[in-house]
Amino acid sequence: MNKYAVALYDDEDILKSGIGRLQSAGIKIHDVYTPYPVHGLENLVGVRRSRLDIAAFCFGCLGVSCAFLMMWYMITYDWPMNIGGKPNFPIISFIPICFEMTVLFASYGMGLTFFIVNRNIPGSTPRIMDERATDDRFVVAVSLNDAEDPEGINSLLRDSGAVEIKQKEAAY
Amino acid sequence: MHESIIRTPLVTGNPSLHDITEDISRPVEGKPTKAWWIGFIFSFLGLCLWLYSAGYTMTVGIGAWGLNKTVGWAWDITTFVWWVGIGHAGTLISAILLLFRQNWRNSINRSAEAMTLFAVICAITYIFTHMGRPWLFYWALPLPNQYGSLWVNFNSPLVWDVFAISTYFSVSLLFWYIGLLPDIATIRDRAKGVAKKVYGFLSFGWTGSARSWVRFEAVSLILSGLATPLVLSVHTVVSMDFATSLIPGWHATLFPPYFVAGAIFSGFAMVQTLLLVARKAMRLENYITLYHIELMNIIIMVTGSIVGAAYLTELFIAWYSGVEYEQYLFLNRVSGPYWWAYWIMMTCNVISPQLMWFKKLRTSLAFTFFISIVVNIGMWFERFVIIVTSLHRDFLPSSWAMFHPTFYDVGVFVGSIGVFFTLFMLFIKFLPGVAMAEVKLLLRNSSEAAKKRMAAKEGKTYQFSPETGGVVIAATTNVRKGENHE
């Protein structure tokens, strides 16, 4: 069972300045939950740039290769047919399907990677610190597991501009 | 992000973050209104008509339709292309406008993306009904089969179409669903009982942590980058179904851009039709403002002009090419037995969008609604003109024929509109019709309240007039710089 101190803020500017104050006091932020993407927050809490674009590129390369090999195998190697005298290795005709398969593989490959790295799995039980985090509150969670002075953390959270503070225990 | 004060606000009134959640969740959480039931019942009757007409067509074959040996494609491909075109505005709003950082898309992208999916579903129903033997649809897929290693013909645009439409549908679905996750999570966190379980399952465990938002934005941007050329490719491929043939009137290099512009044109018209109804029925006037409607009207005007230019180019090229078959065909389109269809097309698609040059007209809700319907009719006739008038005069005069729709032609078409609206009604009842998280993002910079704050900082007063869509900013002497006068 993990213990957290959960602070709720009602403004993104107060949230950002509050996080700055907490960090300068040496408190390690477990995570921040917001109702919409707060720009600049990722730098404050040390979230690295997403590498999903690299995943998309790799999956796209896989898609174009699969499409090209599939078409080459089917109508050039396995069963070449004379259709209106057209060539059996029509690279130009391959372009539309190669393009579509690139987009399909890149999108779904990246989408699945997104779901997996985000732990977004159908029916999974999320770690919800406060249900208003998807409504109108900006929520900061601080782990209390190794904290020597939980009361001190609470008062720091209060001083940082939080409108509400509570303790939360989560089993995972 | 810098936002100019003089730009018209994207969220009017003074809603708080919580108000946005309340306003957008209301239709999902509350009981359906009378207006919703009326809309749903009418749509559902249309769906029943589709089930009957399509069921009959599949049972007896496409002899149930008014097709003949000369006009072998008519309402089926007309409506298929029409539905695919309608779908395009959704991707355009969600992807292209995101790439161009057009924040006004945030209030309308969710409904537009849903519209895309439902329009493509309607288009796909047409692929199945017009096959004649729809149970053999898998013949269009590159699958190994027992007749020897006979594969599909990758030189054929009809096979490209299979890949294009299925990819388009799949990618649009993924884009739409990833965008929905935060909003489904909002509904989940407010719901109780069974609804909490259902939305909990659908939300995939979304929490809104800083890390997941960074990934969410990365995925949205990359998907936009992928969907933008995809949407252009889909209608390009659809146009190649015609353009790679040798039929006069179809065999034109102009077709790809012309079809894409037409798709955006008709798609935006359908978005207008839906949003004008939805904003009234769901009381979303603060989020889907007159400014949004005006901007969409401007897109309709621009794409309508491109379409108009394409019609004139077709006429010019028919004359300039010196090909007598092309010349005859276009003369026949303008003055032949289907002259009325051609002139309905010209009136609806070339003249009507030009009226949007007048600010008074493009900011009038009633007029916008009227034009959106007119454009949809016009674009249906455009596809009808391209297909039927090119086919009904064969190279042999003895093959000349006219097309007369039967009850089942009409039934499948009207029924598909029923299918579309049934799906849309179910969508606005069970899922948030406006992207809550994205609208909340606008509140800070682009809302009316934010503009007031900005003006006050500069020692000015800000007044927004919803009627004209304009803003009034006056310097006031009694306001000291830095003071917040709300």
Side-chain angles (χ1 to χ4, degrees):
Chain A
M1 194 71 86
N2 293 324
K3 275 188 179 175
Y4 299 97
V6 178
L8 276 67
Y9 298 78
D10 61 357
D11 184 276
E12 66 168 86
D13 286 336
I14 300 173
L15 169 85
K16 284 189 206 164
S17 64
I19 288 175
R21 289 174 72 171
L22 292 173
Q23 284 172 332
S24 57
I27 290 178
K28 199 165 178 296
I29 309 273
H30 169 72
D31 213 336
V32 184
Y33 305 88
T34 55
Y36 57 85
V38 175
H39 296 142
L41 188 64
E42 63 276 11
N43 297 333
L44 280 176
V45 291
V47 176
R48 278 190 305 172
R49 189 186 80 87
S50 166
R51 285 171 297 172
L52 285 163
D53 45 359
I54 300 170
F57 180 77
C58 295
F59 281 109
C61 291
L62 182 68
V64 71
S65 313
C66 285
F68 194 86
L69 280 175
M70 173 188 78
M71 288 186 282
W72 166 81
Y73 171 75
M74 289 177 182
I75 66 164
T76 307
Y77 178 77
D78 190 41
W79 197 264
M81 275 186 292
N82 186 342
I83 300 161
K86 289 177 187 172
N88 286 322
F89 188 42
I91 297 176
I92 300 290
S93 295
F94 287 175
I95 291 172
I97 293 177
C98 280
F99 170 74
E100 305 295 340
M101 295 270 281
T102 309
V103 171
L104 186 72
F105 272 61
S107 305
Y108 271 80
M110 180 182 58
L112 286 175
T113 314
F114 167 77
F115 288 135
I116 292 165
V117 295
N118 246 4
R119 309 271 187 282
N120 283 147
I121 293 142
S124 66
T125 317
R127 189 203 309 253
I128 294 170
M129 293 297 176
D130 191 283
E131 293 186 334
R132 283 168 293 172
T134 52
D135 178 10
D136 62 343
R137 289 285 184 269
F138 304 83
V139 176
V140 173
V142 177
S143 175
L144 293 180
N145 288 344
D146 306 324
E148 287 161 7
D149 178 20
E151 269 315 303
I153 291 177
N154 275 354
S155 63
L156 267 171
L157 287 172
R158 203 167 292 115
D159 293 342
S160 69
V163 287
E164 194 182 324
I165 292 154
K166 60 180 192 174
Q167 305 274 326
K168 177 100 181 171
E169 287 195 357
Y172 37 83
Chain B
M1 187 170 52
H2 177 73
E3 171 82 18
S4 161
I5 312 172
I6 52 168
R7 278 202 180 156
T8 315
L10 298 173
V11 179
T12 57
N14 193 15
S16 64
L17 292 174
H18 183 64
D19 292 338
I20 293 176
T21 312
E22 287 288 332
D23 288 346
I24 296 169
S25 308
R26 196 185 308 116
V28 181
E29 292 168 344
K31 283 193 173 156
T33 58
K34 211 182 221 174
W36 185 88
W37 274 115
I38 294 170
F40 180 73
I41 288 167
F42 269 100
S43 312
F44 192 71
L45 287 175
L47 186 140
C48 295
L49 177 66
W50 183 84
L51 284 175
Y52 172 71
S53 311
Y56 184 81
T57 305
M58 290 184 195
T59 312
V60 305
I62 47 172
W65 296 349
L67 304 173
N68 51 52
K69 278 187 180 172
T70 307
V71 187
W73 267 2
W75 280 38
D76 46 353
I77 301 297
T78 298
T79 318
F80 163 75
V81 181
W82 187 66
W83 276 124
V84 178
I86 283 173
H88 282 19
T91 321
L92 192 97
I93 289 172
S94 56
I96 298 182
L97 296 186
L98 178 70
L99 287 183
F100 284 115
R101 305 279 183 217
Q102 294 295 305
N103 287 337
W104 60 273
R105 66 178 271 289
N106 289 18
S107 321
I108 54 174
N109 63 347
R110 175 68 46 73
S111 310
E113 286 166 26
M115 183 195 80
T116 293
L117 291 175
F118 306 147
V120 176
I121 288 173
C122 288
I124 292 171
T125 66
Y126 259 100
I127 296 179
F128 282 91
T129 47
H130 100 295
M131 277 184 170
R133 285 177 288 172
W135 48 92
L136 299 178
F137 77 94
Y138 62 90
W139 283 14
L141 305 174
L143 298 171
N145 58 67
Q146 69 270 44
Y147 308 116
S149 304
L150 187 62
W151 302 104
V152 290
N153 176 12
F154 289 108
N155 285 307
S156 163
L158 291 173
V159 173
W160 305 346
D161 233 7
V162 173
F163 281 86
I165 302 283
S166 53
T167 302
Y168 183 46
F169 181 77
S170 317
V171 173
S172 301
L173 183 68
L174 181 75
F175 199 1
W176 180 69
Y177 202 82
I178 288 180
L180 262 170
L181 287 179
D183 291 358
I184 296 178
T186 305
I187 305 279
R188 169 200 70 198
D189 290 345
R190 292 161 56 88
K192 287 181 178 63
V194 183
K196 194 170 189 80
K197 285 209 162 78
V198 173
Y199 287 106
F201 183 84
L202 294 176
S203 72
F204 286 23
W206 177 265
T207 55
S209 73
R211 196 166 278 107
S212 54
W213 276 123
V214 168
R215 291 178 186 140
F216 178 88
E217 291 210 305
V219 164
S220 303
L221 197 66
I222 301 163
L223 274 179
S224 305
L226 290 167
T228 300
L230 178 68
V231 72
L232 304 181
S233 83
V234 170
H235 229 58
T236 300
V237 167
V238 168
S239 79
M240 285 175 183
D241 292 345
F242 302 97
T244 56
S245 76
L246 293 172
I247 306 283
W250 290 2
H251 188 57
T253 48
L254 175 72
F255 264 31
Y258 158 38
F259 267 49
V260 170
I264 296 165
F265 181 50
S266 64
F268 266 89
M270 188 58 103
V271 173
Q272 290 280 33
T273 314
L274 289 176
L275 285 184
L276 285 172
V277 176
R279 80 192 276 272
K280 188 86 189 160
M282 291 153 65
R283 284 173 285 164
L284 295 172
E285 284 91 344
N286 278 339
Y287 309 108
I288 303 166
T289 64
L290 204 57
Y291 183 54
H292 289 93
I293 311 272
E294 187 186 353
L295 290 171
M296 285 194 279
N297 276 336
I298 292 173
I299 293 187
I300 288 178
M301 181 177 79
V302 171
T303 49
S305 305
I306 298 173
V307 168
Y311 295 162
L312 300 179
T313 310
E314 274 192 318
L315 289 174
F316 171 75
I317 292 296
W319 166 74
Y320 189 66
S321 68
V323 179
E324 59 181 317
Y325 301 107
E326 288 281 340
Q327 288 172 346
Y328 170 75
L329 178 97
F330 279 91
L331 196 65
N332 182 52
R333 273 191 189 171
V334 175
S335 58
Y338 285 112
W339 65 271
W340 49 272
Y342 186 82
W343 289 107
I344 289 176
M345 171 189 99
M346 284 303 245
T347 315
C348 296
N349 296 348
V350 181
I351 299 167
S352 67
Q354 299 309 320
L355 297 170
M356 295 300 184
W357 285 99
F358 300 101
K359 193 175 171 79
K360 211 167 197 168
L361 292 178
R362 69 170 183 258
T363 51
S364 154
L365 295 179
F367 185 76
T368 301
F369 189 72
F370 171 70
I371 288 290
S372 73
I373 304 281
V374 164
V375 168
N376 274 314
I377 295 170
M379 283 307 293
W380 189 87
F381 271 100
E382 179 200 293
R383 279 73 188 243
F384 178 82
V385 165
I386 291 171
I387 291 154
V388 174
T389 61
S390 291
L391 287 175
H392 84 125
R393 289 291 179 256
D394 206 342
F395 291 99
L396 287 174
S398 60
S399 307
W400 289 7
M402 295 293 287
F403 170 77
H404 301 285
T406 65
F407 171 83
Y408 298 98
D409 277 302
V410 182
V412 176
F413 172 48
V414 177
S416 72
I417 297 175
V419 173
F420 176 79
F421 279 100
T422 305
L423 292 169
F424 195 79
M425 296 309 275
L426 290 173
F427 157 69
I428 57 169
K429 176 65 200 83
F430 292 109
L431 291 169
V434 173
M436 270 184 254
E438 295 188 31
V439 173
K440 285 174 186 171
L441 193 60
L442 296 179
L443 213 55
R444 200 176 144 73
N445 288 309
S446 322
S447 65
E448 196 181 332
K451 306 271 174 187
K452 274 187 185 154
R453 271 197 305 274
M454 277 188 264
K457 269 188 190 168
E458 292 182 16
K460 294 172 181 168
T461 44
Y462 173 91
Q463 209 178 0
F464 167 66
S465 156
E467 287 77 30
T468 56
V471 290
V472 182
I473 297 169
T476 46
T477 48
N478 59 344
V479 178
R480 273 184 296 146
K481 203 169 183 181
E483 264 186 4
N484 195 344
H485 280 253
E486 273 196 69

